[in-house]
Amino acid sequence: MQNLARSSSLPPPPSAPAQSIPTPSTPEPSTPVPFYAPHQKIYPKAARGRFRRIKSALMVGLLALFMLLPWLRWDRGAGLPNQAILFDLDSQRFYLFALELWPQHIYYLTGAMILAAVGLFLATALAGRVWCGYTCPQTVWTDLYVKVEEWIEGDRGARIRLDKGPRNANWLARKTAKHAVWLLIALATGASALFYFVDAPGYVADLLRFQPGPVATGWILFMTACTYAMAGFMREQMCVYVCPWPRIQAALLDDESLTVTYQDWRGDGRAPLRKEQSWAERSAEGLGDCIDCKACVQVCPTGIDIRDGLQMDCISCGLCIDACDDVMGRIGRPGGLIRYDTQAAQEAKAVARKPEPYRLVRPRTIIYSLVMLVVGGMMTIGVLLEPTVDVSVLRDRAPLYVTLSDGAIQNSYTVKISNMTRAPQGYRLTVSGPRGATVTAVGGGAVGGGAVDSGAAGGAAPVLGAEPDTVQTHRIHVRAPAGAAVAGSMPLTLTLTRLSDGVVHQAETVFLAP
């Protein structure tokens, strides 16, 4: 206890210098990261150059073609529409100049879709998203809307100042004028889209009489709203977020595909061009031809920087090439810093500074071309050999067959004859299949009546009639004598011979027996 008392009276041992110990603080609440970045409006600057001229020419040509095609006339004879291109849904006919397509010709639509898809594959393999940059409807109409915007509000700088400036009378007048012109273009687009499905002059007359019809009016308003929204507001968002093609094109490109490329081996490092700085001095400092003016970014309709490499957002329109070539010309440097080029050529220039020749003929371009050639050839042959009659046969399923009082077996069928001519036709019907089979037409379906043996005996074969440009339906009975049906199911061939010219058409079905 005394030792403890003495030890308690001793002075405390020297201690280390006091250190401030940080006290834990309450963490500040973190701001949640948004899943979607806010949309940044793009103000594309007007470009001047060869690619801009090509885009403008294609824009005018394609818009004129779309607007004027429904007004092109084509004489098909009395009682038929004389519109060159008409998708007549009421009569279930598609008229394409001299070609008339019935619902049975749906395979032509399939062939057209295959040609369009493979043609797009071929264009992408050759020159990237050149379809998107020059001929896609979204690009064409957006280009027109931007032209209207430039005409009313001014070029890029003027539009930025107008949007950031005060909402005064000048702002209101320019915005009102722009949207009024946009709506007129959208309305003309909606009406022109409708004219492909109705007779254009006749429907315009209905509009002037204020009798447009609810369905047609709804279609025009729908197309007007879509055009106004997509070309006026969504613009590049349609190309980047909505269209699936940017995500597909990567599988179709190779090292030999032409794309818009920045020649980094020549342009890097990037730095502004100082006053009185010679190009020899700039080269000695390790600087390239790119003066970082961002002219290529300002003209891009999707707002990307092509110097960052090939990107999904690039639509290969070539406007950045025009902008860069213009800058290079003004500072005394050769053009082509941004150009259409291949990845293989880029790598060759970076290593040996030698151009790599462009290979147009490659395995994938050969395959795509052959597919288009085969499909196009098959469609052409189908059009040239297109029959003027189509016959379909549907056998009754309830009952499958009927046993008559004399032991004969009877099957019933529905025969549909599509008469694709302009005159009424008669078709003499004969059958071949079970031995001794005969055929009769029911009710008013037969122009001529009677029964005929399948070839062994004489008799009057029924004649089935078909009105011009219609599908005529007939009911027929096929009977086989007792003991003639030797199997439960036997093939049966119906042969229709056109009385006017002897053209024969056959349809295959089956004859059922116990």
Side-chain angles (χ1 to χ4, degrees):
M1 293 291 295
Q2 292 178 353
N3 291 336
L4 180 59
R6 281 199 301 268
S7 63
S8 62
S9 63
L10 293 175
S15 60
Q19 297 181 354
S20 60
I21 301 176
T23 58
S25 59
T26 304
E28 297 181 359
S30 59
T31 304
V33 179
F35 287 104
Y36 301 98
H39 175 244
Q40 301 293 327
K41 185 176 180 180
I42 296 174
Y43 298 88
K45 185 178 180 180
R48 293 174 179 83
R50 53 177 174 165
F51 296 109
R52 176 65 267 178
R53 290 192 294 270
I54 293 173
K55 275 179 65 70
S56 297
L58 285 173
M59 177 188 70
V60 173
L62 292 172
L63 287 171
L65 191 67
F66 173 76
M67 300 286 185
L68 298 179
L69 268 183
W71 298 93
L72 190 62
R73 302 292 95 185
W74 190 272
D75 186 13
R76 296 188 177 89
L80 293 173
N82 62 351
Q83 190 163 309
I85 298 179
L86 177 63
F87 305 108
D88 193 347
L89 300 182
D90 289 337
S91 62
Q92 299 182 5
R93 302 287 187 276
F94 285 0
Y95 299 98
L96 302 173
F97 297 96
L99 184 62
E100 179 181 347
L101 300 180
W102 286 48
Q104 294 90 328
H105 299 145
I106 189 66
Y107 50 84
Y108 285 126
L109 178 60
T110 304
M113 294 176 66
I114 293 174
L115 284 178
V118 179
L120 191 55
F121 295 166
L122 178 61
T124 304
L126 292 174
R129 291 183 68 183
V130 66
W131 154 264
C132 301
Y134 292 92
T135 55
C136 174
Q138 174 66 21
T139 298
V140 172
W141 263 263
T142 298
D143 222 15
L144 177 62
Y145 271 49
V146 171
K147 287 292 183 185
V148 170
E149 196 171 55
E150 292 174 357
W151 173 52
I152 296 176
E153 296 184 357
D155 203 0
R156 182 175 187 272
R159 299 201 303 273
I160 294 176
R161 290 191 297 271
L162 182 67
D163 284 353
K164 293 184 177 180
R167 300 299 191 259
N168 51 22
N170 175 61
W171 179 90
L172 181 62
R174 291 182 182 274
K175 293 293 183 181
T176 302
K178 179 185 74 173
H179 287 279
V181 176
W182 279 2
L183 283 171
L184 287 175
I185 295 172
L187 189 60
T189 302
S192 297
L194 177 68
F195 292 159
Y196 285 90
F197 298 91
V198 298
D199 179 63
Y203 187 74
V204 169
D206 291 341
L207 286 176
L208 295 177
R209 291 193 298 265
F210 299 100
Q211 298 174 343
V215 176
T217 302
W219 172 256
I220 291 178
L221 293 178
F222 173 75
M223 290 299 298
T224 299
C226 289
T227 305
Y228 180 66
M230 290 190 293
F233 299 95
M234 298 184 71
R235 294 187 179 178
E236 79 286 346
Q237 298 177 77
M238 290 294 298
C239 304
V240 176
Y241 301 114
V242 179
C243 179
W245 192 244
R247 293 147 185 85
I248 299 174
Q249 67 161 349
L252 304 174
L253 295 174
D254 58 18
D255 289 346
E256 302 290 341
S257 301
L258 282 174
T259 57
V260 177
T261 57
Y262 164 69
Q263 312 286 302
D264 53 3
W265 57 270
R266 173 187 157 189
D268 290 350
R270 310 170 199 167
L273 180 63
R274 299 193 304 271
K275 189 176 181 180
E276 305 300 334
Q277 182 187 32
S278 68
W279 286 102
E281 295 172 346
R282 186 178 176 88
S283 178
E285 296 175 10
L287 302 179
D289 284 358
C290 179
I291 62 173
D292 204 21
C293 62
K294 293 185 172 56
C296 56
V297 180
Q298 295 172 358
V299 300
C300 180
T302 59
I304 67 168
D305 190 342
I306 194 61
R307 298 173 299 175
D308 294 338
L310 180 62
Q311 299 160 62
M312 182 184 70
D313 301 359
C314 177
I315 61 173
S316 297
C317 63
L319 297 183
C320 54
I321 301 177
D322 287 339
C324 187
D325 285 351
D326 178 63
V327 173
M328 291 293 106
R330 286 190 277 117
I331 63 176
R333 299 299 294 170
L337 180 60
I338 300 176
R339 59 181 299 171
Y340 281 103
D341 209 349
T342 67
Q343 184 64 31
Q346 280 279 82
E347 295 173 356
K349 292 173 187 175
V351 175
R353 299 294 191 267
K354 292 196 311 183
E356 180 80 6
Y358 175 59
R359 293 176 55 222
L360 178 66
V361 180
R362 311 192 300 275
R364 67 177 60 200
T365 60
I366 294 174
I367 292 173
Y368 294 151
S369 301
L370 287 177
V371 171
M372 293 185 66
L373 183 63
V374 170
V375 174
M378 292 173 62
M379 292 180 63
T380 303
I381 294 173
V383 170
L384 294 177
L385 302 179
E386 180 183 359
T388 55
V389 60
D390 183 78
V391 179
S392 63
V393 179
L394 181 65
R395 192 181 58 79
D396 286 4
R397 297 182 179 275
L400 294 176
Y401 57 87
V402 174
T403 303
L404 303 179
S405 58
D406 59 356
I409 305 300
Q410 175 177 292
N411 283 201
S412 299
Y413 303 86
T414 299
V415 178
K416 292 186 177 182
I417 304 175
S418 300
N419 178 18
M420 305 178 193
T421 66
R422 308 300 176 206
Q425 301 289 345
Y427 299 89
R428 190 171 302 280
L429 175 63
T430 58
V431 296
S432 61
R435 179 176 52 84
T438 60
V439 58
T440 58
V442 179
V447 175
V452 64
D453 189 84
S454 57
V463 176
L464 307 183
E467 296 298 323
D469 198 29
T470 58
V471 179
Q472 200 83 31
T473 301
H474 302 274
R475 289 274 298 161
I476 65 171
H477 298 315
V478 178
R479 296 176 183 175
V486 296
S489 175
M490 296 188 302
L492 179 71
T493 302
L494 277 66
T495 302
L496 289 95
T497 304
R498 191 158 58 195
L499 301 181
S500 60
D501 53 10
V503 173
V504 175
H505 192 92
Q506 292 184 330
E508 304 292 335
T509 182
V510 294
F511 185 88
L512 297 183

